[in-house]
Amino acid sequence: MYPKVFRDYAEHRRQYGDVSVLPTPVFFYGLKEGQEISVDIDQGKTLVMRLQGRTELEEEGQSKLFFELNGQARMVRIDKAGAVKLVTHPRAQDGNANHVGAPMPGMIVTLAVKAGQKVAKGDPLVSIEAMKMETMIRAERDAVVKQTHVRPGAVVAAKDLLVELAA
């Protein structure tokens, strides 16, 4: 009788599974901090969930949720509906000697090179700060900087591409 409604329902069920086991307020509004619920997912199988806290990641358009699932601490990142990621960095390819990736998440403090610049092994490329510690990323070989992908003040995730080298 209502084919679009059924298609939407079937797509939601395919993507999220059977959400009818969730309490209605939790389905519509989510858990409140410190709130605990139990959900029967099958006969004799119950999940106990408690939201411990959340962190808003505005630049990434996400929230980081910290929760317990049956007593085990967990963390998950959730995309905010309608949020636009402000900054996205390409990922460094594993095994590509021309890609210099971020060794850890952090903020770029200094960018010591620019495109076209020659660098020798050991020359500083980028300085990254994480948890009040600054790490200098240095060239692993003699090369020419093909392109830089970050600027000072940028927040990067682990393995984001910082500098691209040419042979």
Side-chain angles (χ1 to χ4, degrees), residues 40-113:
D40 296 322
I41 59 170
D42 204 357
Q43 187 173 0
K45 294 181 183 175
T46 302
L47 297 177
V48 179
M49 295 177 266
R50 175 192 308 254
L51 180 62
Q52 295 175 323
R54 75 175 340 135
T55 302
E56 303 300 325
L57 305 171
E58 296 299 330
E59 284 189 0
E60 297 176 25
Q62 295 181 330
S63 289
K64 207 187 254 191
L65 300 178
F66 302 93
F67 63 99
E68 286 182 4
L69 181 63
N70 290 342
Q72 297 284 328
R74 309 269 174 125
M75 186 274 298
V76 67
R77 288 175 176 243
I78 306 291
D79 290 330
K80 290 184 176 182
V84 178
K85 289 185 178 183
L86 298 178
V87 179
T88 56
H89 298 283
R91 305 291 281 175
Q93 295 174 352
D94 289 334
N96 188 340
N98 292 331
H99 283 191
V100 178
M104 62 192 160
M107 184 179 76
I108 303 301
V109 179
T110 58
L111 181 62
V113 294

Side-chain angles (χ1 to χ4, degrees), residues 8 24 31 50 55 69 72 90 117 125 138 150 152:
D8 292 346
T24 302
L31 288 173
R50 175 192 308 254
T55 302
L69 181 63
Q72 297 284 328
Q117 182 177 338
L125 300 173
R138 300 182 178 276
V150 292

